[in-house]
Amino acid sequence: MPHILSANQFTKDDIDKILSSAHTMETSLKNGAVKKLLDGKIIACIFYEPSTRTRLSFETAAIRLGANVISAEDALGNSSAYKGETIEDTARTISSYADAIVIRHPIEHTVEAAAKATDTPIINAGDGANQHPSQGLLDLYTIQKEHGRLDHLSIAFVGDVLHSRTLRSLIPLLALHQGNTFHFISPESLAISQEYRQELIDKKISFTESHNIEDGLPSADAVYMMRVQKERFKTQEEYDRIKDAFILKPEHLALIKKEAIIMHPLPRVNEIDIAIDTDSRASYFRQAQNGLYIRMALLLYVFNLA
Ligand code: NCD
């Protein structure tokens, strides 16, 4: 049975299958007709980093499909990791209780290490600044629902593009579709790394970079706002200096196309003025709701039931 570790692992066929299964989940939830396809299964959610949407929507997804959930939130402090247990030993142990394991961890590639230690499907719910594949897929599902297509789109990523695992998950999914272009708009110190820049060039992905929020807005079909990732900074001072660098304000709305959408993986700190929430282009709470349908589809996918 497959692990879900990175958005880079998916083919276009996989994506089509997952988006279509998410659509079925959305419709059947709305009709009160969800089949209990995971009846008797146990899903473990082990989170070594804070989470609201990801953990609670994975748990809701499991329960809606008839599974039961076991859970360790704040696992750095409350699981045997606190005593020094390795992720490999933890994964091997939990796999003897649960049928699938959802893991979030602050250190890049730790979830892959867990997956190497067991055949029980592991789902990466975010590993440091690396990957967050379920978020990438729910972002993709949102774009498809709101725009009716996944090609020939211009996406402006605004904010902390350096540390964003959600950006690194959405880009490869959109890059499998024709004609998409990406614009990274960030303070200079939070621009994409040279390594990632080279990776995009090698993969022939079309992108531009700028340090002025107003640059990327007029051409964008989706403006993807991002939080400055406080937990990735070494000192509070460093974070404080940059935290309010880019804020989307009501006066920016006139620069954004009428048919564009404004996205944010959430949580928002203050990078989108709350006055924007009532604009019909603000799609971030719809986006969070789509996470439930995608995570239902992903649980089915790892059991080969999608
Ligand atoms: C994102 C994450 O954890 O990477 N949140 C989420 O899962 N919706 C974005 C963030 O924390 O800024």
Side-chain angles (χ1 to χ4, degrees), residues 7 18 22 35 54 104 161 163 171 178 185 187 198 234 248:
I18 292 164
K35 294 199 191 110
T54 306
R104 170 172 285 188
V161 301
H163 298 113
I171 287 183
Q178 288 283 312
I185 303 157
Q198 194 55 50
K234 288 195 185 74
L248 194 68

Side-chain angles (χ1 to χ4, degrees), residues 3 13 17 26 32 86 91 115 150 154 158 171 187 199 207 209 219 223 250-251 254 258 274 284 300-301:
H3 300 300
D13 283 352
K17 186 158 100 176
E26 178 170 359
T86 64
L150 289 172
S154 161
V158 181
I171 287 183
E199 184 183 324
F207 69 96
E209 294 181 75
S219 62
V223 177
E251 56 263 36
K258 275 204 201 64
I274 57 168
Y284 26 96
L300 294 177
Y301 178 84

Side-chain angles (χ1 to χ4, degrees), residues 49-54 104 125-126 128 132 135 138 163-166 224 226-229 231-232 264-267 271 295:
E49 247 191 3
S51 169
T52 299
R53 277 148 289 271
T54 306
R104 170 172 285 188
H132 190 353
Q135 181 72 42
L138 78 87
H163 298 113
S164 175
R165 58 194 177 197
T166 72
Y224 192 105
M226 289 165 298
R227 174 179 72 91
V228 177
Q229 304 278 300
E231 61 275 39
R232 315 272 176 245
H264 192 309
L266 301 178
E271 55 283 346
R295 289 177 177 126

Side-chain angles (χ1 to χ4, degrees), residues 10-154:
F10 295 117
T11 63
K12 196 146 175 299
D13 283 352
D14 294 328
I15 295 170
D16 290 347
K17 186 158 100 176
I18 292 164
L19 295 192
S20 146
S21 168
H23 178 69
T24 307
M25 292 302 111
E26 178 170 359
T27 319
S28 48
L29 263 177
K30 285 182 178 151
N31 297 333
V34 182
K35 294 199 191 110
K36 304 289 181 206
L37 294 165
L38 298 186
D39 187 28
K41 299 261 191 276
I42 294 182
I43 311 299
C45 291
I46 313 298
F47 277 61
Y48 296 87
E49 247 191 3
S51 169
T52 299
R53 277 148 289 271
T54 306
R55 186 171 66 84
L56 295 179
S57 63
F58 263 119
E59 295 192 1
T60 307
I63 292 166
R64 290 281 190 205
L65 287 163
N68 286 303
V69 171
I70 57 172
S71 193
E73 50 170 320
D74 190 14
L76 273 186
N78 282 336
S79 76
S80 285
Y82 184 74
K83 302 178 188 169
E85 186 171 56
T86 64
I87 192 75
E88 287 87 352
D89 286 1
T90 303
R92 206 168 294 148
T93 305
I94 296 170
S95 68
S96 64
Y97 311 145
D99 301 291
I101 311 174
V102 182
I103 305 178
R104 170 172 285 188
H105 201 281
I107 300 171
E108 289 79 9
H109 306 293
T110 304
V111 183
E112 279 161 43
K116 288 204 181 100
T118 172
D119 291 333
T120 299
I122 302 276
I123 301 178
N124 181 1
D127 64 318
N130 181 37
Q131 277 285 316
H132 190 353
S134 65
Q135 181 72 42
L137 285 160
L138 78 87
D139 292 341
L140 196 73
Y141 185 64
T142 302
I143 294 170
Q144 187 184 53
K145 270 175 74 179
E146 307 249 347
H147 274 299
R149 67 177 206 278
L150 289 172
D151 53 11
H152 299 95
L153 293 162
S154 161

